[in-house]
């Protein structure tokens, strides 16, 4: 409630995307649109902090991305905006970053208090998000940067992965999103839009799901 996601979307993404409320993007099947996002509410955020015993706020570290990523064009600026938002409710966030390789290594080891990351799914299946980023096994493997482990959640996503009927999987993943939302494991900020410049003479090129991949098997150039 302390973070103005819309303000971040307008400033960092220049409106090219949408505010996030779930771990998966809205274009992915099983996205639970019934979930109501936490509203940006400074007064309510202060009340909840006081109720939790932090009337005068607290100090924390926020690690920000040292590189530009398809899901975040400016990690440092985003961190500055989050820092300013948190200061309004009494939270003092010290911004920290490292060289990209060091950043990832330290984050996988769980050395952070709060860390900025994102994800680009590569196979179109929700399990690519739910298992790789939020499962208990992913804590051990280092991919679950929240270091959150919920056996009830794990049971649901394992069952979903073993279920062959898509409609049944949808219901399970919708429930998994409810758990993640209720426990506020992440603060999902935005779902970005990727842009790739292509000459008018190029035909048949399609943007790949994975930003580092480019497929040219159906590409042609008309010579004009």
């Amino acid at each position: 409630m302390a973070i103005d996601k819309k303000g971040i979307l307008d400033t960092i993404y220049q409106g090219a995307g949408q505010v996030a409320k779930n771990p998966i993007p809205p274009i992915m099947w099983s996205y639970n649109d019934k979930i109501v996002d936490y509203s940006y509410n400074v007064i309510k955020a202060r009340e909840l902090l006081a109720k939790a015993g932090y009337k005068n706020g607290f100090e924390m570290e926020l690690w920000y991305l040292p590189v530009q990523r398809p899901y975040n064009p400016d990690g440092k600026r985003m961190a500055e905006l989050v820092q300013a938002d948190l200061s309004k409710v009494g939270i003092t966030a010290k911004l920290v970053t490292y060289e990209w390789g060091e950043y990832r290594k330290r984050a996988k080891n769980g050395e952070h208090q709060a860390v900025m990351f994102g994800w680009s799914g590569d196979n179109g299946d929700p399990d690519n998000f739910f298992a790789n980023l939020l499962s208990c096994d992913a804590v051990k493997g280092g991919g679950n940067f929240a270091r959150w482990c919920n056996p009830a959640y794990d049971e649901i996503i394992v069952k979903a992965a073993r279920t062959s009927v898509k409609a049944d999987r949808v219901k399970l993943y919708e429930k998994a999103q409810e758990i993640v939302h209720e426990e506020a494991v992440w603060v999902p900020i935005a779902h970005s839009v990727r842009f790739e410049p292509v000459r008018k003479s190029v035909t048949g090129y399609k943007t790949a799901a994975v930003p580092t991949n480019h497929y040219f098997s159906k590409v042609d150039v008309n010579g004009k």
Side-chain angles (χ1 to χ4, degrees):
M1 291 183 173
I3 297 175
D4 181 9
K5 298 181 185 180
K6 180 62 167 56
I8 292 174
L9 183 74
D10 292 341
T11 303
I12 304 299
Y13 299 87
Q14 298 181 35
Q18 67 184 80
V19 169
K21 63 181 180 180
N22 293 325
I24 61 174
I27 60 171
M28 179 167 281
W29 61 270
S30 82
Y31 180 82
N32 191 343
D33 201 27
K34 293 179 181 178
I35 287 177
V36 179
D37 197 13
Y38 297 105
S39 61
Y40 173 53
N41 191 324
V42 174
I43 295 175
K44 183 64 175 177
R46 279 187 171 275
E47 290 176 355
L48 289 172
L49 279 170
K51 186 177 179 180
Y54 295 98
K55 183 179 180 180
N56 298 318
F58 57 87
E59 295 182 0
M60 61 174 283
E61 287 187 353
L62 171 60
W63 292 16
Y64 66 88
L65 291 168
V67 293
Q68 186 181 61
R69 303 293 288 170
Y71 50 74
N72 189 335
D74 193 340
K76 183 178 181 181
R77 182 62 182 139
M78 181 184 287
E80 290 171 346
L81 294 174
V82 172
Q83 181 186 49
D85 285 342
L86 294 179
S87 69
K88 296 173 185 176
V89 299
I91 299 174
T92 301
K94 177 185 177 182
L95 303 187
V96 177
T97 196
Y98 299 93
E99 179 274 328
W100 182 225
E102 188 70 12
Y103 184 92
R104 295 180 63 188
K105 183 181 75 173
R106 287 175 177 265
K108 283 187 174 183
N109 290 336
E111 297 178 23
H112 56 280
Q113 292 179 323
V115 66
M116 183 185 297
F117 260 107
W119 189 253
S120 298
D122 59 8
N123 62 15
D125 194 286
D127 183 71
N128 186 250
F129 286 75
F130 293 121
N132 290 347
L133 306 177
L134 288 161
S135 68
C136 295
D137 281 343
V139 174
K140 303 172 188 175
N144 183 343
F145 297 107
R147 317 291 290 183
W148 172 77
C149 176
N150 184 315
Y153 166 89
D154 261 31
E155 184 178 346
I156 290 172
I157 65 167
V158 169
K159 184 177 180 180
R162 294 174 178 173
T163 300
S164 58
V165 180
K166 187 175 181 179
D168 294 338
R169 295 187 72 199
V170 167
K171 293 178 182 178
L172 290 166
Y173 287 134
E174 286 177 344
K175 179 62 179 176
Q177 288 166 82
E178 290 173 6
I179 294 174
V180 172
H181 175 75
E182 176 64 26
E183 299 205 9
V185 183
W186 294 351
V187 181
I189 299 292
H191 299 297
S192 64
V193 174
R194 252 174 57 223
F195 296 95
E196 292 189 14
V198 180
R199 288 177 181 268
K200 289 183 178 180
S201 58
V202 176
T203 60
Y205 179 79
K206 292 185 178 181
T207 302
V210 181
T212 55
N213 294 348
H214 301 276
Y215 301 104
F216 301 106
S217 60
K218 296 183 179 180
V219 173
D220 199 2
V221 181
N222 63 23
K224 295 181 182 179

